[in-house]
Amino acid sequence: MIRVVVVDDQPLERTGYALILDSDDEIEVVGEAGNGSEALRVVGQTEPDVLLIDVRMPVMGGIEATRIIAAEHPGTRVIVLTTFNLDEYAFGSLQAGASAFLLKSTTPTALVDAVKTVARGSAVVSPGLTAKLIEHYLQSVPASRSLPENVAKVLGLLTSREVEVLTAIVGGLTNAEISSELRIAQSTVKSYVNSIFAKLGLRDRVHAVILGYEIGLDPGRRG
């Protein structure tokens, strides 16, 4: 069973999410909270697999709570929900450690699928957001953060092949596409990806993209 905690300051919405998730045979809602501060307590008590949390709440918002939970409870994956498709919320939540950013207008089926996907260790982002994320970093990361020494400091932890795989990930390639481009088995690509994430402390591919653009890694220079 995938154990989930639901956090939203609106009782009706919170109950609705819980009912949707509990209706699936693979998911169990083990706790609820009305703000980020309460979420910290409930997560500490229940250690869920997935936390579903609203962005805008009193006392403590979803992004701040996500940052704390990602640091203190790395085994809990976070899905951030919001009514507003604002870049600042999306980027803020992903940088804080969330594995998914979804609009509240998403369908019940998509919500259930998102919970199952992040529980398996993957990331989920609303369509088009990954492209926005890349565009955002291309336009806003200061030139000083793209200095060669910043790249070397991070990439020095990786083998040359792992650097190639990371660069391909930053360029938006799937494991299958990386396998084809580098002419290695998909199982080998998966092993490289897991090694990269472990060495760099990355939670998933979205955060690999964030890191890549923060250090000025150029996905156009593969091979």
Side-chain angles (χ1 to χ4, degrees):
M1 295 292 286
I2 300 171
R3 303 170 74 253
V4 180
V5 166
V6 178
V7 185
D8 196 299
D9 61 321
Q10 299 296 321
L12 281 177
E13 291 193 3
R14 188 168 69 241
T15 299
Y17 297 138
L19 288 173
I20 290 170
L21 296 175
D22 261 334
S23 67
D24 189 276
D25 293 338
E26 299 177 30
I27 299 173
E28 177 187 10
V29 176
V30 296
E32 298 182 23
N35 59 61
S37 181
E38 291 180 10
L40 300 182
R41 175 180 56 80
V42 175
V43 168
Q45 292 173 342
T46 61
E47 293 292 340
D49 301 302
V50 178
L51 174 71
L52 182 68
I53 189 167
D54 188 17
V55 168
R56 301 177 66 178
M57 297 179 293
V59 184
M60 180 186 291
I63 293 178
E64 183 179 356
T66 295
R67 185 173 294 108
I68 296 171
I69 289 168
E72 298 183 356
H73 303 275
T76 297
R77 315 288 292 188
V78 180
I79 298 176
V80 172
L81 276 172
T82 181
T83 305
F84 307 96
N85 190 17
L86 298 179
D87 288 352
E88 62 186 275
Y89 292 147
F91 302 139
S93 61
L94 294 172
Q95 286 178 309
S99 294
F101 178 88
L102 297 175
L103 296 179
K104 288 187 174 182
S105 58
T106 193
T107 66
T109 299
L111 178 61
V112 169
D113 288 344
V115 168
K116 292 180 178 180
T117 299
V118 300
R120 290 194 298 266
S122 299
V124 178
V125 182
S126 295
L129 185 56
T130 298
K132 282 187 177 182
L133 180 67
I134 293 173
E135 181 181 358
H136 170 79
Y137 273 97
L138 283 173
Q139 294 177 352
S140 67
V141 173
S144 62
R145 299 180 71 184
S146 298
L147 295 175
E149 57 263 32
N150 290 337
V151 181
K153 183 177 180 180
V154 173
L155 301 188
L157 299 171
L158 308 178
T159 67
S160 58
R161 181 61 95 180
E162 287 171 345
V163 171
E164 289 180 315
V165 172
L166 175 60
T167 305
I169 291 172
V170 174
L173 272 63
T174 64
N175 282 4
E177 291 169 335
I178 296 172
S179 171
S180 175
E181 179 164 306
L182 299 184
R183 298 184 179 181
I184 54 179
Q186 285 195 47
S187 59
T188 303
V189 173
K190 185 175 181 180
S191 295
Y192 280 131
V193 171
N194 290 338
S195 177
I196 291 166
F197 288 0
K199 288 181 178 180
L200 300 184
L202 299 171
R203 293 171 69 88
D204 47 52
R205 299 175 90 90
V206 171
H207 296 104
V209 172
I210 291 175
L211 175 66
Y213 280 97
E214 283 183 335
I215 66 173
L217 186 62
D218 184 0
R221 297 182 60 184
R222 294 193 300 274

